[in-house]
């Protein structure tokens, strides 16, 4: 048992969820600490060097930006920007890389970009880092797509919580902006991960805002209310302007098509360094500048300059694609706007003669929440975040006033989520309806069920049922009678019956009658509900009384596994289309095409001889294909494969076609499934007939000829001929059982072409069982077919009729008596040959006879008819 599965089995789902949340919180907290300490160290080094040589500041910005941009360009393009839009896209079921590689590149590029002076924040990147680490964990411990989204959301919450030391705000941001899901699982996982992330960050990284509220107490008076409303109004207007500026900056850089991402980030760093030389306040880091603004130590002129330069430099840096967020700059801009509003309020209150003037700290902190709310459109998160930073209840009412007004004003000026719009700017559109954004919402039983159902007859003896179970990997079978579902039988039922000494027991005696079923249109939610409530492993899918499929837990898990692998999601467990790795084309001069799948170098020559005989008779082109199988986790279009065997097989095809002077097309396909690929080729190349080798053994009673051949016989719209090579090297003596069905007639029409392989001597036979109607005389039909065939072949044709309890035994006996080289069967569901599919006659004949066996199945549609 794999290690991950062993852990899941020992701990159980609830403990696994708790453990995963703890691990996510721990690694997210450590990542946030690394990011904070790395940026602090690089900023301190830069400041110390600039103090010695001031002219180095622009150069450091240029070099740091170039390095950060180079890392993103070459290692993880998904790590550009703040990272929150990418997380939102993944949570919206958009296929986008989010893994350990993205997390590492995000950490390093953010340290370089912010450490070199770019006016961006580290909290946005911590959200993507936390989400990426959680996504990587979900791959190491595989889970369902829905729960994987919960883990990624928990990682995002833990990242934000660790970035601000605000665990509640981290949870609220996820449910308010990213996932919009208030389920118990989302909240529980996110809360635990956020709490641990914040604790780790606080213990190892220190406080998020070094502000002693015991020294600077927030206060609120009645005369402050209009000015706080004014602050909310200004924050809403300027926040909307800031949002629009971001998109203008992105459009500006997009026009500079000649500049790579590295140079765009480098030039943004250079410009920031130049401005920092002229205006030292612009070179201050976000944390230090925010703390100085909150305390109200600077003059209004300095604060106004800081607001304008920070506003412009943040837009310049973000538009370049640098790794960094807008959370911290938004808080800095909000605190600056709050300080300026407080100075204006103090001036008017002083003129009005109020004894208590506006508190600058209260306005600065309110401005932080208001501007953050206007930019990100998450007012509740903004209020709780600032409250968690300060732990001052006196701020709650000012924050609510400022954030609410800012949110409403900003929404009127520039509506919509900024992260959704950033994704749309990149060509990624998130649908708003859950059924469209979640590909699993509309999934039906028909999308996941197995259509080729293995069934057992209601009259089957218990001993034979046990053999069927022994040959199969299934633990249960539907039980049918005349194609109608009447029950279901499991290994448990058989084990109970095994203790009985009654040899006459049939499946009808031990099966579970009238099992619970679903229709093809049943939703996946309903299917899962029944599987869990009834504690069963499979559900038959019926349409009226007819069994049309079966859906198992394995089918659901397989489909979910495809999604977790990161590939594009399609409803149901469908394979990725095959990849055409090699092909040759001959002139299209034939009247049709005969498809020959080649796989075995030993069997291919004889198969090609049979194909060439048919193609030569009917002036067909040969279409030879070798299919190279790869694992489902690998993309056929990307995996490297060895084509040495393919070229040997196709060379044999060219040699045979040259002898018969036939046009031959060849191709090599890389695929997940052989049958699905062959059906693709039939459709693409307009195939009229498939000739394929019959596997010598089959695992289950219903898969008569082997999984691939069985699928082709059942689903291919064209004619199908299945060839089982025998021991003889000759194709002289032919045995053809007839029962009057259309496939037997097709076998007769095909025989003249096949007879060219040797010196034909043909025996036509009709075999009946004692239970069949004895009034039917098959001899006239046999004689008529013999006369027609004799004139076509110019060879001896004899007829035989007999009765036997076992059709297969009789055919095998006739083959031995007449020393037959080939047995030609028509695969039909009518008359005698109804037993071919229902009674496993080909399998029994193959067990009793060493002859070549050819099984013919006519086209399913008249439009595919070929024999004239």
């Amino acid at each position: 048992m794999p290690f991950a599965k062993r852990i899941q089995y020992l701990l159980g789902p609830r403990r696994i969820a708790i453990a995963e949340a703890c691990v996510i919180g721990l690694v997210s907290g450590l990542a946030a600490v690394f990011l904070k300490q790395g940026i602090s160290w690089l900023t301190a080094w830069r400041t110390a060097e600039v103090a010695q040589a001031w002219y180095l500041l622009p150069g450091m910005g240029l070099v740091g930006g170039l390095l950060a941009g180079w890392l993103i360009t070459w290692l993880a393009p998904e790590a550009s920007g703040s990272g929150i839009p990418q997380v939102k896209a993944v949570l919206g079921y958009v296929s986008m890389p989010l893994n350990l590689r993205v997390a590492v590149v995000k950490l390093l590029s953010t340290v370089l970009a912010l450490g070199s002076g770019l006016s961006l924040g580290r909290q946005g990147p911590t959200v993507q880092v936390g989400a990426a680490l959680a996504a990587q964990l979900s791959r190491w411990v595989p889970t369902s797509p829905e729960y994987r989204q919960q883990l990624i959301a928990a990682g995002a919450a833990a990242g934000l919580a660790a970035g601000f030391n605000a665990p509640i705000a981290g949870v609220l941001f996820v449910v308010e902006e990213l996932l919009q899901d208030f389920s118990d699982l989302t909240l529980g996982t996110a809360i635990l991960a956020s709490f641990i992330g914040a604790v780790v960050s606080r213990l190892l990284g220190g406080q998020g805002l070094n502000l002693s509220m015991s020294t600077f107490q927030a206060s609120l008076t009645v005369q402050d209310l209009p000015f706080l409303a004014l602050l909310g109004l200004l924050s809403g207007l300027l926040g909307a302007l800031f949002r629009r500026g971001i998109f203008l900056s992105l459009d500006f850089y997009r026009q500079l098509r000649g500049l790579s991402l590295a140079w765009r980030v480098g030039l943004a760093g250079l410009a920031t360094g130049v401005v920092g030389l002229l205006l030292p306040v612009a070179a201050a880091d976000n944390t230090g500048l925010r703390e100085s603004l909150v305390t109200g130590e600077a003059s209004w002129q300095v604060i106004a300059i800081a607001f304008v330069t920070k506003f412009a430099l943040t837009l310049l840096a973000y538009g370049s694609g640098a790794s960094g967020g807008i959370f911290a700059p938004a808080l800095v801009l909000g605190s600056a706007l709050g300080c300026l509003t407080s100075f204006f309020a103090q001036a008017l209150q002083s003129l009005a003669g109020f004894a208590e003037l506006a508190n600058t700290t209260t306005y600065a902190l309110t401005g932080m929440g208001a501007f953050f709310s206007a930019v990100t459109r998450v007012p509740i998160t903004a209020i709780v975040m600032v409250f968690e930073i300060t732990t001052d209840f006196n701020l709650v009412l000012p924050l609510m006033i400022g954030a609410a007004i800012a949110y409403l004003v900003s929404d009127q000026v520039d509506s919509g989520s900024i992260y959704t719009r950033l994704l749309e700017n990149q060509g990624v559109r998130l649908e708003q309806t859950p059924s469209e954004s979640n590909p699993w919402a509309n999934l039906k039983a028909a999308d996941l069920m197995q259509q080729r159902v293995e069934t057992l007859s209601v009259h089957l003896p218990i001993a034979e049922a046990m053999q069927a179970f022994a040959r199969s990997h299934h633990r249960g079978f539907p039980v049918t009678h005349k194609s109608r579902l009447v029950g279901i039988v499991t290994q448990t039922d058989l084990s109970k019956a095994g203790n009985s000494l009654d040899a006459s027991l049939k499946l009808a005696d031990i099966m579970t009658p009238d099992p619970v079923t679903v229709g093809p249109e049943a939703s996946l939610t309903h299917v899962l509900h029944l599987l869990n409530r009834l504690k069963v492993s499979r559900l038959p899918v019926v349409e009226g009384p007819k069994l049309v499929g079966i859906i198992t837990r394995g089918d659901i898990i397989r489909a979910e596994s495809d999604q977790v692998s990161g590939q594009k999601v399609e409803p149901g467990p469908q394979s990725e289309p095959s990849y055409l790795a090699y092909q040759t084309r001959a002139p299209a001069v034939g009247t049709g095409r005969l498809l020959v799948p080649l796989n075995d170098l030993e069997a291919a020559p004889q198969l090609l001889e049979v194909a060439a005989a048919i193609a030569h008779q009917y002036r067909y082109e040969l279409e030879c294909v070798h299919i190279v199988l790869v694992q489902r986790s690998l993309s056929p279009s990307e995996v490297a494969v060895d084509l040495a065997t393919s070229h040997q097989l196709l060379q044999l095809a060219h040699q045979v076609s040259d002898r018969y002077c036939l046009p031959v097309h060849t191709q090599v396909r890389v695929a997940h499934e052989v049958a699905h690929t062959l059906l693709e080729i039939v459709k693409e190349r307009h195939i009229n007939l498939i000739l394929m080798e019959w596997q010598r053994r089959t695992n289950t009673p219903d898969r008569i000829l082997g999984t691939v051949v069985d699928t082709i016989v059942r689903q291919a719209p064209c004619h199908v001929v299945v060839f089982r090579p025998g021991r003889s090297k000759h194709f002289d003596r032919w045995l053809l059982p007839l029962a009057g069905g259309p496939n037997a007639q097709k076998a007769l029409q095909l025989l003249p072409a096949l007879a060219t392989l040797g010196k034909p001597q043909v025996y036509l036979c009709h075999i009946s069982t004692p239970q069949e109607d004895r009034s039917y005389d098959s001899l006239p039909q046999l004689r008529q077919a013999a006369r027609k065939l004799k004139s076509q072949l110019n060879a001896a044709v004899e007829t035989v009729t007999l009765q036997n309890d076992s059709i297969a035994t009789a055919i095998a006996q006739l083959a031995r008596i007449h020393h037959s080289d080939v047995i030609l069967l028509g695969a039909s569901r009518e008359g005698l040959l109804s037993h071919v599919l229902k009674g496993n006659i080909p399998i029994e004949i193959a067990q009793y006879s060493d002859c070549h066996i050819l099984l013919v199945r006519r086209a399913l549609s008249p439009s595919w008819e070929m024999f004239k």
Side-chain angles (χ1 to χ4, degrees):
M1 181 184 297
F3 178 74
K5 289 187 176 181
R6 188 179 301 138
I7 293 297
Q8 289 177 317
Y9 176 78
L10 292 175
L11 296 182
R14 185 175 297 275
R15 290 190 179 93
I16 282 289
I18 295 174
E20 287 174 333
C22 293
V23 172
I24 290 170
L26 176 63
V27 296
S28 298
L30 292 175
V33 171
F34 171 82
L35 197 58
K36 179 180 180 181
Q37 298 298 339
I39 294 171
S40 298
W41 178 85
L42 196 56
T43 301
W45 175 81
R46 175 172 57 89
T47 303
E49 292 298 321
V50 169
Q52 302 295 327
W54 57 269
Y55 50 83
L56 293 178
L57 187 59
M60 291 181 175
L62 174 64
V63 174
L66 284 172
L67 290 176
W70 182 86
L71 278 176
I72 295 172
T73 301
W74 292 102
L75 299 181
E78 306 82 14
S80 64
S82 71
I84 295 178
Q86 290 90 321
V87 175
K88 186 167 185 176
V90 173
L91 292 176
Y93 293 91
V94 175
S95 180
M96 187 175 291
L98 193 65
N99 47 38
L100 184 61
R101 170 180 58 86
V102 174
V104 172
V105 173
K106 191 72 174 181
L107 282 171
L108 297 178
S109 60
T110 303
V111 169
L112 288 171
L114 272 63
S116 62
L118 286 176
S119 181
L120 294 171
R122 58 181 170 84
Q123 287 76 16
T126 61
V127 172
Q128 187 179 17
V129 170
L133 293 173
Q136 186 65 55
L137 177 63
S138 73
R139 290 185 176 89
W140 288 336
V141 184
T143 183
S144 68
E146 288 78 6
Y147 186 59
R148 179 174 184 260
Q149 305 305 90
Q150 310 287 348
L151 293 180
I152 293 174
L160 185 61
F164 282 113
N165 289 338
I168 302 177
V171 176
L172 289 176
F173 180 75
V174 166
V175 297
E176 193 175 10
E177 169 62 32
L178 295 182
L179 203 56
Q180 298 178 346
D181 180 5
F182 290 85
S183 65
D184 293 339
L185 181 59
T186 299
L187 290 175
T189 308
I191 288 173
L192 183 56
S194 296
F195 169 74
I196 294 178
V199 169
V200 171
S201 177
R202 178 163 295 191
L203 291 176
L204 301 180
Q207 296 284 344
L209 177 62
N210 294 323
L211 178 64
S212 175
M213 296 307 294
S214 59
T215 305
F216 302 97
Q217 289 292 334
S219 61
L220 177 67
T221 59
V222 176
Q223 59 266 26
D224 287 325
L225 296 180
F227 296 103
L228 291 174
L230 175 63
L231 175 58
L233 175 64
L234 292 174
S235 297
L237 293 173
L238 293 173
L241 179 63
F242 183 81
R243 286 163 54 97
R244 291 190 176 183
I246 285 177
F247 294 101
L248 289 175
S249 177
L250 290 170
D251 291 339
F252 168 74
Y253 278 104
R254 193 173 288 118
Q255 300 302 318
L256 304 177
R257 298 177 181 176
L259 286 179
S260 65
L261 176 65
W263 276 106
R264 292 202 300 268
V265 179
L267 291 177
L270 176 65
T272 302
V274 172
V275 175
L277 288 179
L278 302 175
L279 300 170
V281 68
D285 67 292
N286 289 315
T287 303
L289 182 58
R290 187 174 64 221
E291 291 170 0
S292 64
L293 292 173
V294 169
T295 57
E297 297 175 352
S299 64
W300 72 267
Q301 294 91 342
V302 172
I303 294 175
I305 293 173
F307 180 87
V308 174
T309 55
K310 195 71 176 177
F311 194 102
L313 291 177
T314 300
L315 298 181
L316 180 70
Y318 193 89
S320 69
S323 179
I326 56 174
F327 282 176
L331 294 177
V332 171
L333 292 172
S335 61
L337 188 61
C339 286
L340 293 175
T341 306
S342 73
F343 294 154
F344 177 70
Q346 289 171 0
L348 293 183
Q349 290 171 353
S350 179
L351 290 175
F354 289 108
E356 188 173 355
L357 302 182
N359 186 309
T360 301
T361 299
T362 300
Y363 278 71
L365 294 172
T366 301
M368 287 169 56
F371 200 87
F372 187 91
S373 173
V375 172
T376 61
R377 299 291 166 75
V378 283
I380 300 176
T381 301
I383 294 169
V384 173
M385 180 187 296
V386 177
F387 167 72
E388 284 190 285
I389 291 174
T390 61
T391 64
D392 189 349
F393 282 101
N394 294 325
L395 277 174
V396 173
L397 183 57
L399 282 170
M400 292 180 67
I401 295 171
I405 294 176
Y407 173 81
L408 295 173
V409 171
S410 177
D411 188 61
Q412 291 297 316
V413 178
D414 188 55
S415 62
S417 166
I418 187 172
Y419 303 112
T420 301
R421 290 184 58 191
L422 285 170
L423 286 173
E424 292 175 354
N425 190 262
Q426 300 172 16
V428 178
R429 184 173 296 274
L430 297 179
E431 301 295 340
Q432 296 302 314
T433 58
S435 62
E436 294 177 353
S437 61
N438 182 354
W440 301 94
N442 290 328
L443 209 57
K444 306 296 183 185
D447 300 317
L448 288 175
M449 70 181 186
Q450 302 175 38
Q451 296 183 13
R452 300 181 298 278
V453 187
E454 301 174 18
T455 63
L456 299 178
S457 170
V458 69
H459 302 300
L460 193 69
I462 299 299
E464 294 186 28
M466 289 183 175
Q467 294 177 9
F469 272 89
R471 293 193 298 263
S472 173
H473 64 278
H474 294 302
R475 300 173 63 186
F477 287 94
V479 181
T480 59
H481 178 59
K482 295 182 179 179
S483 299
R484 298 166 64 98
L485 179 70
V486 295
I488 197 163
V489 63
T490 65
Q491 285 183 341
T492 303
D493 299 326
L494 282 182
S495 62
K496 293 178 181 178
N499 299 325
S500 173
L501 299 178
D502 189 354
S504 64
L505 282 178
K506 308 289 186 182
L507 279 187
D509 301 316
I510 67 168
M511 71 180 185
T512 302
D514 301 320
V516 176
T517 62
V518 294
E521 296 301 314
S523 67
L524 178 59
T525 304
H526 180 60
V527 171
L528 290 173
H529 170 70
L530 290 177
L531 289 173
N532 292 327
R533 181 171 64 86
L534 302 175
K535 305 298 182 185
V536 296
S537 300
R538 63 196 62 81
L539 281 175
V541 183
V542 296
E543 202 164 30
K546 182 181 179 182
L547 179 68
V548 296
I550 191 166
I551 184 168
T552 68
R553 294 180 185 271
D555 297 322
I556 299 172
I557 294 171
R558 189 183 307 112
E560 293 180 342
S561 176
D562 287 343
Q563 156 125 4
V564 172
S565 68
Q567 303 296 326
K568 181 180 178 180
V569 179
E570 297 289 344
Q574 300 176 349
S575 298
E576 187 175 337
S578 62
Y579 175 72
L580 184 61
Y582 172 83
Q583 71 172 345
T584 64
R585 288 286 176 261
V589 295
T591 60
R593 289 200 180 112
L594 192 160
L595 176 62
V596 188
L598 300 175
N599 181 56
D600 187 354
L601 283 170
E602 293 184 6
Q606 209 166 40
L607 185 66
L608 285 168
E609 290 291 338
V610 176
I614 299 173
H616 185 267
Q617 179 75 15
Y618 294 100
R619 296 192 303 247
Y620 271 25
E621 304 162 11
L622 287 179
E623 184 86 30
C624 298
V625 59
H626 179 229
I627 299 172
V628 181
L629 292 179
V630 297
Q631 297 177 4
R632 291 176 64 88
S633 59
L634 302 176
S635 173
S637 61
E638 297 177 0
V639 66
V641 294
D642 184 3
L643 300 183
T645 302
S646 303
H647 289 304
Q648 293 181 48
L649 288 168
L650 300 183
Q651 184 63 34
L652 288 175
H654 282 289
Q655 293 172 4
V656 174
S657 67
D658 289 343
R659 289 207 319 270
Y660 283 83
C661 298
L662 295 172
V664 59
H665 316 284
T666 64
Q667 56 177 299
V668 179
R669 299 233 180 183
V670 184
H672 290 151
E673 294 181 3
V674 174
H676 181 76
T677 304
L678 292 177
L679 293 173
E680 282 183 29
I681 297 172
V682 168
K683 183 178 180 180
E684 292 174 10
R685 298 290 294 159
H686 307 290
I687 300 299
N688 299 89
L689 183 147
I690 302 177
L691 172 64
M692 57 194 310
E693 185 184 2
W694 165 9
Q695 297 177 7
R696 295 179 180 271
R697 292 186 179 181
T698 179
N699 293 327
T700 59
D702 255 18
R703 297 200 186 280
I704 299 167
L705 310 174
T707 304
V708 174
V709 179
D710 184 75
T711 301
I712 298 301
V713 169
R714 292 174 187 261
Q715 297 186 20
C718 61
H719 300 284
V720 178
V721 178
V722 182
F723 175 55
R724 202 297 302 268
R727 294 183 182 274
S728 174
K729 297 182 180 179
H730 304 289
F731 288 82
D732 296 334
R733 292 179 293 275
W734 292 77
L735 177 63
L736 176 55
L738 293 180
N743 287 330
Q745 296 302 316
K746 290 300 180 187
L748 267 176
Q749 295 172 10
L750 185 61
L751 185 54
L754 295 170
T756 60
L757 292 169
K759 299 177 181 179
Q761 183 178 354
V762 181
Y763 292 90
L764 299 182
C765 66
H766 181 275
I767 305 172
S768 61
T769 61
Q771 293 78 22
E772 292 185 21
D773 185 5
R774 299 191 180 187
S775 64
Y776 172 72
D777 185 4
S778 61
L779 192 56
Q781 181 185 5
L782 278 178
R783 289 174 176 173
Q784 181 182 359
R787 286 194 299 269
K788 182 178 180 181
L789 198 57
K790 187 174 181 179
S791 64
Q792 291 176 329
L793 299 179
N794 194 21
V797 179
E798 299 183 21
T799 59
V800 179
T801 61
L802 58 94
Q803 271 194 355
N804 197 303
D805 291 326
S806 171
I807 303 292
T809 302
I811 294 175
Q813 287 176 353
L814 283 174
R816 285 196 298 270
I817 292 171
H818 298 289
H819 306 287
S820 299
D821 297 317
V822 189
I823 301 174
L824 182 60
L825 298 170
S828 171
R829 292 181 182 268
E830 298 124 351
L832 156 68
L833 296 175
S834 172
H835 299 283
V836 169
L837 292 182
K838 296 183 178 178
N840 266 5
I841 284 181
I843 295 297
E844 295 180 35
I845 295 173
Q847 292 174 347
Y848 300 143
S849 175
D850 291 333
C851 299
H852 303 297
I853 298 175
L854 281 163
L855 190 67
V856 181
R857 196 227 64 192
R858 67 169 185 155
L860 299 179
S861 170
S863 61
W864 291 85
E865 290 292 338
M866 65 162 189
F867 302 126
K868 304 300 183 184

